[in-house]
């Protein structure tokens, strides 16, 4: 095992950290019974609530709201048309009451109609300026420091790390490399249809208002197979939407690891078992029954965000 | 540039080899005008006719024929039903006359109905035993040695190499890592729908008889965007089915490279501009107009297959 074990420095000592270290030690101990060929060391991570904060709403929903506001002057009809009216009025309850149909309509309106490269720039511009309502910081600072440590620890031990999220794949790819060190080709997510077109002499890919793939629940193992083409040996999630991904991962032969992040820290982050569009219920039951690792955020994490770690480092200098 | 330049040892000296070396030198010369960040060094390769021999028929079609024969005793009705009857009679002309509909039916019959892992084993067993009719060797020995050299040369210079093929993605993934050193997650191809199911306690992915994605022509840049999420800087093909992939690649800013393999060697391989399902016509015209590199197989390649290289090495010892 690489001595990057020290890289798990934001994890408190205890059974949670130990279960991670034991798994990685087994997978990397050449000649041992748990050894895994480096090519097979695939680790998959949910994004919302697993790698960054998903409260009070998915970050991509905040993007949608800001996009609808930005586009509203071109669409005077939205003032009287749901779900746009409710969204512009800040009435998210009515938006959610519209169910999946309303959300899909909002996604299509705000995510289609551009080329892939134009969309990427829209997302990059937005995420550079948008601010989280509770922490007054950019969303990209509200990523979990212990999970960054874990990504680094796995990579130092020969793992290839992937995001497998219900979020839009091109939304995440616009910033995931900079924020998590995960390149676009290792980001798997939900998608809309794109089409090859010529703009004069220039070939472009245009984003169409049509759902292509929903990478959640059953979709996660399907998306993993589609993109990676082999079964991961480690999977990390935080809700029932991740359950099938975790089940699929541990059902393989040889060394396997499954982990759930349980949000138990109402002071440093949030405490909940239910997010706007998901919950943690069945997966927690299965974790208990099968002995999967469950992170108790309050107990297991020395700090939640990178800016806390920086502060501590400053304090410890004095 | 890495001194793996010697790795292009199966390429004859001349403008073709020089154009490859110049491109790679530019992309890897730090501080130079053509320098490309390592993360952006993405190279995409067509498979049939670009990395291995596609004559007298696509290897996957040989697989389909053998699968239909193997399954025929379970389907007595095929004796009187097209396209199965024609295929069992060895009458490929009638099969092709049935157009895409006939081929899709053959693919669905032979590629669906199993789990993903069962299908992978079927392909692995087949490819370990099937023999090419002209060369009397396994198909996996009929890969182009100069292209293996090129893959190694690019990787040694920080490139990530992908297959982007009209062939079935799970057909190729079953052997591409062993044969080309390209892991499953770097193989992009056509696909059928898979579905998450539970078999008792065990989650499985079942392959359904439904086309999901055709990774050819316009589909190639779409597939690249879906899987890689950024534009390659180098693309390699051999037919009009690769044209849009090459156009899409070179339309980006900065250093770019496009190459076509022209099959001009009727002795060592085949000489043709037309394969059973494709042709090299428009792409060759565009290559000429745009100054893309065109490999003249007979002129540019010292040897075609790895077994020739081994023979030469033996000869040169004497």
């Amino acid at each position: 095992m690489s001595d990057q074990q020290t890289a798990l420095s934001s994890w408190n000592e205890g059974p949670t950290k130990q279960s991670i270290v034991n798994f990685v030690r087994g997978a990397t101990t050449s000649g041992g019974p748990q050894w895994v060929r480096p090519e097979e060391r695939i680790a998959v991570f949910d994004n919302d609530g697993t790698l960054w904060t998903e409260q009070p709403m998915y970050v991509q929903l905040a993007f949608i709201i800001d996009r609808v506001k930005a586009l509203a002057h071109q669409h005077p009809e939205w003032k009287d048309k749901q779900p746009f009216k409710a969204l512009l009025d800040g009435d998210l309850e009515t938006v959610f009451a519209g169910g999946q149909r309303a959300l899909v309509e909002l996604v299509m309106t705000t995510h289609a109609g551009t080329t892939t490269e134009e969309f990427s720039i829209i997302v990059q511009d937005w995420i550079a300026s948008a601010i989280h309502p509770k922490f007054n910081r950019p969303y990209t600072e509200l990523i979990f420091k212990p999970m960054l440590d874990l990504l680094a620890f796995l990579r130092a031990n020969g793992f290839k790390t992937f995001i497998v999220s219900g979020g839009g794949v091109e939304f995440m790819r616009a910033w995931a490399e900079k924020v998590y060190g995960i390149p676009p080709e290792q980001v798997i997510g939900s998608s809309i249809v794109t089409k090859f077109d010529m703009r004069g002499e220039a070939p472009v890919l245009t984003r169409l208002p049509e759902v292509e793939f929903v990478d959640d629940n059953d979709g996660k193992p399907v998306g993993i197979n589609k993109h990676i083409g082999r079964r991961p040996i480690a999977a990390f999630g935080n809700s029932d939407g991740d359950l099938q991904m975790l089940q699929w991962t541990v059902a393989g032969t040889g060394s396997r690891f499954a982990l759930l992040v349980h949000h138990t820290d109402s002071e440093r982050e949030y405490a909940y078992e239910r997010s706007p569009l998901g919950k943690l219920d069945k997966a927690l039951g299965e974790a208990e029954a099968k002995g999967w690792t469950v992170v108790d955020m309050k107990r297991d994490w020395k700090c939640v965000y990178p800016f806390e770690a920086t502060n501590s480092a400053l304090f410890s200098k004095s």
Side-chain angles (χ1 to χ4, degrees), chain A:
Chain A
M1 187 165 65
S2 155
D3 61 0
Q4 293 283 325
Q5 185 170 340
T6 50
L8 289 179
S9 60
S10 334
W11 292 75
N12 285 318
E13 296 304 324
T16 304
K17 177 174 173 178
Q18 202 52 51
S19 74
I20 298 171
V21 171
N22 288 347
F23 164 70
V24 174
R25 180 176 291 137
T28 56
T29 300
S30 178
Q34 302 294 314
W35 184 74
V36 179
R37 292 190 312 139
E39 308 88 278
E40 301 277 350
R41 293 182 202 157
I42 303 284
V44 288
F45 290 81
D46 170 58
N47 182 43
D48 295 305
T50 300
L51 294 179
W52 75 353
T53 288
E54 65 178 351
Q55 295 283 4
M57 67 173 82
Y58 293 142
V59 178
Q60 196 170 355
L61 186 56
F63 169 73
I64 288 172
I65 292 172
D66 286 351
R67 286 297 295 158
V68 168
K69 287 180 185 164
L71 296 168
H73 71 279
Q74 300 169 27
H75 295 274
E77 75 278 11
W78 286 353
K79 274 184 213 143
D80 306 305
K81 192 183 168 192
Q82 295 298 12
F84 303 97
K85 180 181 184 316
L87 190 141
L88 289 167
D89 293 344
D91 173 12
L92 288 183
E93 260 184 61
T94 300
V95 173
F96 289 131
Q100 205 178 352
R101 211 185 60 81
L103 285 169
V104 167
E105 184 161 5
L106 288 168
V107 169
M108 292 313 149
T109 309
T110 52
H111 286 60
T114 60
T115 69
T116 49
E117 282 161 354
E118 288 163 353
F119 183 72
S120 181
I121 290 168
I122 290 170
V123 174
Q124 285 170 46
D125 287 349
W126 179 81
I127 209 145
S129 63
I131 296 291
H132 187 279
K134 173 171 169 178
F135 295 102
N136 283 313
R137 287 177 178 267
Y139 291 103
T140 49
E141 291 185 18
L142 302 175
I143 56 179
F144 303 138
K145 177 65 167 58
M147 298 306 280
L148 291 180
D149 289 355
L150 179 53
L151 287 168
F153 179 56
L154 289 170
R155 285 179 207 139
N157 282 287
F159 282 75
K160 212 163 175 176
T161 52
F162 288 80
I163 291 175
V164 180
S165 167
V169 64
E170 301 213 33
F171 177 78
M172 295 183 287
R173 282 174 172 168
W175 47 265
E177 187 162 33
K178 202 184 280 183
V179 172
Y180 300 130
I182 296 181
E185 63 269 26
Q186 288 165 222
V187 178
I188 301 168
S190 298
S191 57
I192 61 178
V193 174
T194 62
K195 185 176 170 297
F196 181 85
D197 280 322
M198 297 299 289
R199 268 197 193 166
E201 286 283 292
V204 294
L205 295 174
T206 310
R207 293 168 57 79
L208 304 185
E210 185 183 335
V211 175
E212 181 178 70
F213 182 65
V214 178
D215 190 53
D216 212 2
N217 300 297
D218 284 11
K220 289 205 175 191
V222 170
I224 289 170
N225 183 64
K226 207 190 283 271
H227 283 261
I228 308 180
R230 58 182 150 203
R231 203 190 288 253
I233 65 164
F236 303 83
N238 81 307
S239 82
D240 288 356
D242 303 313
L243 177 58
Q244 290 87 348
M245 173 168 82
L246 272 61
Q247 288 174 325
W248 169 249
T249 298
V250 300
T253 53
S255 188
R256 302 281 150 177
F257 190 75
L259 178 149
L260 286 171
V261 174
H262 191 186
H263 294 259
T264 52
D265 196 327
S266 59
E267 280 183 38
R268 295 186 301 178
E269 203 237 9
Y270 294 91
Y272 64 97
E273 270 100 37
R274 186 175 282 278
S275 64
L277 295 167
K279 58 182 175 173
L280 177 61
D281 174 18
K282 274 191 194 170
L284 206 52
E286 186 131 343
E288 209 163 295
K290 302 279 172 68
W292 297 348
T293 297
V294 178
V295 171
D296 178 329
M297 190 181 265
K298 191 169 179 176
R299 179 196 65 192
D300 292 325
W301 287 1
K302 269 189 203 158
C303 65
V304 174
Y305 299 122
F307 56 83
E308 298 171 45
T310 314
N311 292 347
S312 318
L314 288 174
F315 291 152
S316 67
K317 270 185 191 167
S318 65

